[in-house]
Amino acid sequence: MRDVFNFGAGPAILPESVLQKAADEMLNYKDSGMSVMEMSHRGKEFKGIIEKAEADLREIMDIPDNYKVLFVQGGASLQFSMIPLNIMNKNKRCDFINTGQWTKKAISEAKKFGTVNIIATSENDNFTQIPDITSDMLSKDADYVHIATNNTIYGTAYNNIPDTGDVPLVADMSSNILSAPIDVSKFGIIFAGAQKNIGPAGVTIVIIREDLIGNAGDKVPALLDYKTYADAGSMYNTPPCYSIYIAGLVFEWIKEKGGLVAMEKLNKEKADILYDYIDSSKLFNSPVRKEDRSLMNVPFVTGNDELDGKFIKQASEKGLKPLKGHRTVGGMRASIYNAMPIEGVKRLVEFMKEFEKDNK
Ligand code: PMP
């Protein structure tokens, strides 16, 4: 076991056994005599890798047959543009629930293509909660509704997914995909950058209902059109082969561990250890409304910048890093994605207790 626990928000910790397997296969993948990094994406070995990765993801997430799984580049951020380019095309309007920096960025992209209606926002509360949504808040004529199911910077998450009826729900799941079972059929599009719960940066997963594909206009560049990826099995051009390979190993690891039900159980156990301590502590506080707390990203503060700095430095010396909160909110943040072992969270809480005792 490594002696550093990586609490970074992303790129983030990967399962050690996955990294070990990749190391074992680095020079010679399955007797091919080549590294996966060196192979043609059209060869039989890579075809096997991408097909198995997709099949395993479909199995883990129980993705219905009328959804395509696409492997795209450009990060989750490119989806902020691809989504309106592809599906904001009937009434040229969409609804947003603004829960932080990543929805704000998506809003500013969507505005380039049509009218954005922000139906609710938690900006006045520094994004420390998820607004309550009722069906009368939704526009009947929106082409889609955009949400971020987990807000990496603020540590908030939806515990109830809004019911948008016939209007497609688009969800940025970059920081909580694969953390618990979800009902894919509630969504029109799910997208996630890989570098938290999936694998290395470089690949973005898009899970899209088939009827939402093929509606981009003629002027939309091929690589921004979902149809291009759907028709070519994500191989219109060279895909991010190595990232897809590691993602495939992570999907195998999730299956071995018992799938998303097991992931959720472990994630809840880990988050409870941390939140229970924070709630009982006289030094540390969670800024987030209790019912909206994320299982993946746990921000906490002492309320004193100097003390926060001291905590971050001393924790790092103990191999607990990086715990600095996002530059826009300060304080601390522990990201405890699927691959964070429970020992890491226990070690963090032990250190927090020690620190509290020493800094009364
Ligand atoms: N959405 C969320 C929720 C994120 O956390 C991030 C990145 N941390 C992004 C979008 C942007 O992802 P990328 O850097 O892959 O474009």
Side-chain angles (χ1 to χ4, degrees), residues 76-344:
S77 301
L78 186 62
Q79 294 311 306
F80 301 162
S81 324
M82 278 180 79
I83 290 158
L85 269 170
N86 280 267
I87 69 167
M88 201 187 203
N89 45 19
K90 288 198 195 95
N91 298 320
K92 299 229 178 284
R93 307 174 62 85
C94 66
D95 281 353
F96 262 85
I97 302 170
N98 181 23
T99 52
Q101 183 173 305
W102 299 113
T103 47
K104 280 175 92 168
K105 287 196 167 161
I107 287 166
S108 69
E109 282 305 288
K111 276 185 177 163
K112 295 175 184 170
F113 306 103
T115 306
V116 172
N117 182 20
I118 300 172
I119 60 167
T121 176
S122 49
E123 190 155 19
N124 291 342
D125 303 307
N126 297 322
F127 300 119
T128 52
Q129 47 124 331
I130 298 289
D132 298 319
I133 304 299
T134 49
S135 56
D136 57 310
M137 294 161 81
L138 300 161
S139 317
K140 298 276 171 296
D141 59 350
D143 289 335
Y144 63 96
V145 181
H146 182 125
I147 63 170
T149 51
N150 187 82
N151 296 280
T152 326
I153 297 174
Y154 314 90
T156 59
Y158 283 79
N159 287 312
N160 291 307
I161 297 297
D163 179 0
T164 58
D166 291 338
V167 178
L169 179 60
V170 170
D172 179 352
M173 289 195 189
S174 293
S175 50
N176 71 344
I177 193 166
L178 303 177
S179 63
I182 53 150
D183 179 356
V184 173
S185 71
K186 284 188 174 165
F187 300 88
I189 299 178
I190 292 169
F191 67 98
Q195 63 272 20
K196 294 141 192 337
N197 261 344
I198 297 173
V203 64
T204 301
I205 306 276
V206 178
I207 301 165
I208 179 168
R209 216 174 57 209
E210 278 169 353
D211 61 289
L212 299 173
I213 301 174
N215 307 310
D218 304 343
K219 293 279 186 285
V220 171
L223 279 171
L224 298 179
D225 186 342
Y226 290 128
K227 190 167 188 305
T228 307
Y229 296 83
D231 288 351
S234 299
M235 296 242 250
Y236 172 80
N237 70 331
T238 317
C241 302
Y242 200 77
S243 297
I244 293 170
Y245 158 68
I246 301 284
L249 295 184
V250 171
F251 302 154
E252 278 175 14
W253 174 82
I254 291 175
K255 278 174 55 175
E256 277 161 32
K257 293 281 169 197
L260 297 189
V261 170
M263 287 296 130
E264 182 179 34
K265 184 166 173 285
L266 188 60
N267 287 329
K268 281 192 168 152
E269 244 177 273
K270 290 186 292 183
D272 280 350
I273 293 173
L274 194 47
Y275 286 121
D276 284 351
Y277 170 63
I278 292 170
D279 288 341
S280 71
S281 162
K282 294 201 167 49
L283 182 64
F284 299 105
N285 286 301
S286 158
V288 177
R289 182 164 80 167
K290 260 193 185 165
E291 54 271 41
D292 301 326
R293 285 174 171 177
S294 163
L295 294 182
M296 299 281 98
N297 310 99
V298 182
F300 53 96
V301 294
T302 64
N304 173 335
D305 290 349
E306 212 177 296
L307 210 52
D308 287 351
K310 185 172 162 191
F311 176 85
I312 292 159
K313 182 164 177 288
Q314 290 186 1
S316 172
E317 286 160 11
K318 300 233 171 214
L320 306 167
K321 58 186 173 184
L323 283 165
K324 198 170 181 340
H326 191 268
R327 61 187 185 284
T328 55
V329 298
M332 281 74 75
R333 171 178 51 175
S335 296
I336 48 175
Y337 297 117
N338 284 352
M340 171 59 68
I342 197 158
E343 292 74 31

